[in-house]
Amino acid sequence: MSNRATAAEASVRAHHVIPPAGPQRVLALAQLSNAVGDGAYYVTSALYFTHVVGLAPARVGLGLTIAWAVGSAAGVPLGRLADRRGPRGTAVLLALATSLAVASFLVVRGFVPFVLAACAYATAQSGLAAARQALLAGLVSRQERTGLLAHLQSTLNAGLAVGAGLGGLALHAGTRAAYLGVFALDAVSFLLCAAVLLRLPTVDGTHKRNGTPARNGTHLRNEMHARVEVDQGPGRDVAGRGDAPGVLRDRPYAVVALLNTVLLLRMPLLSLGIPLWIAERTAAPTWVVSALFVLNTGAVMLFQVRTARGVTGTASATRAVRRSGLVMLASCAVFALSAGVSPWTAVGVLAVGAVLQVVAEMQQSAGSWQLSFDLAPPDRVGEYQGFFGTGVTVARTLGPLVLTALLVGWGTPGWLLLGALTLAASYAMGPAVRWATESRAAQSRTADPFGSPAPGPTLKRPVTVN
């Protein structure tokens, strides 16, 4: 009995990290394959560009800012391409393009080639993220999406942790060959990602996805043809609401994406804000930086799926985002207390702040995933996800400047201002989501004035946001 109980407990624990078999597990495997390479890239790229390529740190920062700005602009059209041409093929091509861009860093020797390679890398990465989201929407039912995204986040953190360990070995060696090996590993990881994505069934990008999972390419296409004919009736555009405004003119969705971008300013905390704070403002030893990184990735890997389980619609997603703002404010206040105390007291305070920060991160992630899908038209998931995903690139671009000014420049008042800004954005999300939900319902009534049910999962049952 004890052996069976132990096996059952192990199975339950594995379920929290490993998604169910089928397309969900294949998507997680694709995420894992390139996350290992990315983890190694993240911890070594800055020193590679400065020590091996020979660029000044200021030029590296400028080049990466330009690259992510270009990548942010490219996310929407590449997401639209995934909607029209099919997300699986688009994702495979963009994974190959990312591999090629990373490989080009191996031969870069000057600033202009570096900027061109970085722009190609950021563009391919932004497009790949949008295509993956559209692919997920076509393969997984609406009810399963947030849970799968939680599994993917856990998988991502596991891969990043492994990759960061490999990158640490390269940093310890400190040789040109070690750095080149890391970039080659990252390039190969995206080739592997493309190969894994080919194992998924084809999703037809020219028809609406109504939230039902695909079983195989032929079955999906036949089923979608039949559903479009029944739901839309004669005379309607098979590709969806052709006269509906695009994402750039969808002001309610744009406001939700903007508020989410403000919440994402916490992204550079672990890689930049907290390390600078520890070094400049506290007496804590520098090894605490890596310890807090391990704490964060481990917590996300183990608990993100559980955190996301209660998020099932726009109402619960809005509540999760609101709670994340409160917890993030508490985290910022605790981090501020780590200045001016003894080294070991600072370590304890920083650990408490890091625990609160990762709780806020997991709640905000689960809520934003649900909102990004539920508020998007089902026939334009790739386009809308491409736009929503620009928040990540904006946070990567502006976050370092904002966090450096607030935390290093202002100290304790800066932490409190960051927490207050996060709290304000999280509480503003409720009215913004209500506006977006009402706008989507109004578009549905306009498209079908006779009151017949509009196609798409988000319009069949109106939701109320608290």
Side-chain angles (χ1 to χ4, degrees):
M1 290 294 293
S2 60
N3 290 338
R4 285 197 295 271
T6 302
E9 292 174 1
S11 177
V12 170
R13 286 195 297 268
H15 178 70
H16 293 318
V17 179
I18 303 173
Q24 296 193 38
R25 189 168 295 177
V26 176
L27 285 168
L29 182 59
Q31 179 83 294
L32 178 64
S33 62
N34 70 261
V36 173
D38 275 347
Y41 169 86
Y42 290 151
V43 300
T44 59
S45 58
L47 291 179
Y48 173 79
F49 293 134
T50 54
H51 292 177
V52 177
V53 179
L55 299 175
R59 291 201 130 194
V60 172
L62 175 61
L64 292 177
T65 297
I66 294 172
W68 284 113
V70 172
S72 177
V76 172
L78 289 174
R80 189 180 297 119
L81 177 67
D83 284 333
R84 293 179 177 177
R85 300 297 182 184
R88 191 193 72 159
T90 304
V92 170
L93 289 176
L94 288 170
L96 295 174
T98 306
S99 175
L100 182 62
V102 173
S104 68
F105 284 130
L106 296 172
V107 296
V108 163
R109 293 296 177 269
F111 178 68
V112 173
F114 162 70
V115 172
L116 294 176
C119 286
Y121 172 79
T123 298
Q125 281 275 53
S126 297
L128 178 59
R132 274 176 158 171
Q133 298 292 70
L135 183 59
L136 181 150
L139 293 172
V140 180
S141 69
R142 173 181 176 272
Q143 293 78 11
E144 296 175 308
R145 288 174 189 168
T146 299
L148 175 57
L149 284 166
H151 279 298
L152 294 179
Q153 186 76 349
S154 298
T155 303
L156 172 66
N157 278 265
L160 290 176
V162 173
L166 296 175
L169 295 177
L171 291 175
H172 179 72
T175 63
R176 176 187 176 87
Y179 284 116
L180 293 178
V182 165
F183 277 76
L185 171 66
D186 197 20
V188 171
S189 75
F190 279 97
L191 290 178
L192 181 59
C193 173
V196 173
L197 290 172
L198 284 173
R199 296 173 52 190
L200 292 167
T202 301
V203 176
D204 191 344
T206 62
H207 301 296
K208 290 189 176 187
R209 305 176 192 92
N210 76 341
T212 56
R215 284 169 288 281
N216 58 67
T218 302
H219 188 116
L220 175 70
R221 282 191 291 274
N222 293 338
E223 186 178 50
M224 294 299 282
H225 276 291
R227 189 173 293 126
V228 167
E229 291 171 1
V230 171
D231 287 346
Q232 294 187 349
R236 294 200 183 182
D237 183 5
V238 175
R241 295 183 301 275
D243 57 345
V247 64
L248 296 178
R249 289 183 289 164
D250 190 338
R251 286 180 292 176
Y253 193 89
V255 170
V256 172
L258 176 61
L259 292 173
N260 187 65
T261 300
V262 175
L263 298 175
L264 288 175
L265 289 176
R266 49 92 182 154
M267 289 184 64
L269 268 179
L270 277 179
S271 61
L272 182 69
I274 291 176
L276 290 177
W277 170 259
I278 290 174
E280 300 292 331
R281 295 276 188 164
T282 78
T286 55
W287 57 260
V288 175
V289 174
S290 59
L292 296 183
F293 183 85
V294 171
L295 185 154
N296 181 277
T297 54
V300 172
M301 183 177 65
L302 294 175
F303 300 111
Q304 181 69 78
V305 175
R306 295 182 183 183
T307 303
R309 189 170 296 150
V311 178
T312 57
T314 53
S316 55
T318 305
R319 288 194 295 269
V321 171
R322 192 160 53 229
R323 286 194 300 268
S324 77
L326 288 169
V327 177
M328 191 64 194
L329 174 62
S331 172
C332 290
V334 170
F335 276 128
L337 295 175
S338 63
V341 296
S342 66
W344 287 108
T345 301
V347 171
V349 172
L350 289 167
V352 173
V355 169
L356 292 172
Q357 187 269 328
V358 73
V359 170
E361 174 186 337
M362 290 187 291
Q363 290 178 334
Q364 184 268 328
S365 295
S368 65
W369 294 332
Q370 187 78 30
L371 294 175
S372 69
F373 279 107
D374 280 5
L375 299 178
D379 58 329
R380 292 179 173 176
V381 174
E383 178 184 350
Y384 273 63
Q385 288 297 315
F387 180 76
F388 202 85
T390 60
V392 174
T393 55
V394 171
R396 284 174 172 172
T397 304
L398 298 182
L401 299 176
V402 173
L403 293 180
T404 301
L406 289 179
L407 306 185
V408 179
W410 292 15
T412 297
W415 274 114
L416 298 179
L417 180 57
L418 177 62
L421 183 64
T422 302
L423 182 67
S426 67
Y427 268 77
M429 191 67 83
V433 171
R434 280 196 295 271
W435 182 25
T437 303
E438 293 167 0
S439 175
R440 190 71 62 232
Q443 288 179 14
S444 172
R445 290 191 296 269
T446 301
D448 194 352
F450 298 104
S452 60
T458 60
L459 304 179
K460 289 180 179 178
R461 182 178 56 194
V463 292
T464 301
V465 180
N466 295 330

